[in-house]
Amino acid sequence: MAKVPGKPKQSKFDDDYPRMAQVACAEGGFTDIKLAKLFNVQKSTINNWKKEYPEFKAALKAGKDTFDIEVVEKSFLKRCTGYNFTEITREPQITKVMHGDGTQEEVYKMVVTKRVRKHVVPDAKGCMDWLTNRAPDRWKKSKHVEITGRDGGPVKTESLVALPSGPMTIEQWEKEVKAARVHDKTIEPGQIPGNA
């Protein structure tokens, strides 16, 4: 059967795949899609292997956990606490090289022209995210607001719209509003009369 261009061929599971997958995930942060490309299979095959081979699934989990802890979490912590780094600027430099036969050749190479020590300040949002996850009992993102009425009593509510006693059409409701305005001259145009 001829290979369809662009479609990976299905390959058989190899006993080396769990270790290869663990290293790829731990060192390179591979996703299931990248693993499928590495093994030249479809992503669905990776999912099937996870179901059929517990050692493969465990290797993926271990590799991804290692990457998350050693790379992502450390980078996040570094961003939360701030850090220093050296910014290096390189520029091309042309050098003429004389060969033994008397010919000259121009050689281009990148040369360091400047080094600047820089500081990245801690990220307040990152710190808040870190604290809400590490100590949720002391650091919460949610706000609890309590509303009370006058002198700590219950909140008094009033209906601002006359609610119909039963089902009615919009036309019937408009007639009632107009009738209420006729009887109560304090109701301004555009104002809806209340129950009171």
Side-chain angles (χ1 to χ4, degrees), residues 4-159:
V4 177
K7 273 198 155 188
K9 64 174 188 162
Q10 291 291 335
S11 70
K12 294 181 181 178
F13 186 80
D14 188 295
D15 290 339
D16 291 334
Y17 285 175
R19 182 68 190 138
M20 290 171 64
Q22 184 173 354
V23 170
C25 291
E27 301 291 324
F30 273 45
T31 61
D32 288 358
I33 292 172
K34 286 185 177 181
L35 286 172
K37 288 180 183 177
L38 174 69
F39 297 129
N40 197 27
V41 296
Q42 299 285 335
K43 183 182 178 291
S44 59
T45 303
I46 298 294
N47 291 333
N48 291 337
W49 287 349
K50 286 192 281 188
K51 293 174 191 169
E52 293 174 34
Y53 303 99
E55 68 277 9
F56 184 73
K57 183 178 180 179
L60 284 182
K61 182 171 176 12
K64 289 177 180 183
D65 286 349
T66 299
F67 184 80
D68 290 349
I69 292 166
E70 292 185 4
V71 178
V72 178
E73 287 183 16
K74 283 184 181 179
S75 296
F76 184 68
L77 180 60
K78 191 174 170 183
R79 186 70 178 105
C80 289
T81 58
Y83 60 95
N84 296 316
F85 71 99
T86 302
E87 181 181 82
I88 299 173
T89 304
R90 291 181 172 87
E91 294 180 3
Q93 182 182 49
I94 303 170
T95 307
K96 291 188 179 187
V97 176
M98 185 67 95
H99 296 289
D101 62 357
T103 59
Q104 280 189 350
E105 180 184 3
E106 288 185 343
V107 177
Y108 295 87
K109 66 178 183 176
M110 299 299 284
V111 178
V112 175
T113 57
K114 183 170 47 169
R115 292 177 192 265
V116 179
R117 189 82 174 140
K118 293 193 171 186
H119 177 72
V120 176
V121 297
D123 179 24
K125 184 178 180 333
C127 292
M128 189 64 192
D129 288 342
W130 183 269
L131 291 170
T132 54
N133 286 306
R134 290 281 287 230
D137 53 324
R138 292 185 298 159
W139 296 89
K140 295 186 186 321
K141 284 186 179 179
S142 61
K143 294 180 182 176
H144 299 282
V145 179
E146 186 176 319
I147 300 173
T148 59
R150 183 176 294 197
D151 300 324
V155 176
K156 183 180 176 188
T157 60
E158 293 180 26
S159 176

Side-chain angles (χ1 to χ4, degrees), residues 176-188:
E176 285 193 16
V177 168
K178 286 178 185 176
R181 285 196 178 121
V182 169
H183 297 307
D184 187 352
K185 301 294 182 191
T186 62
I187 299 173
E188 299 286 328

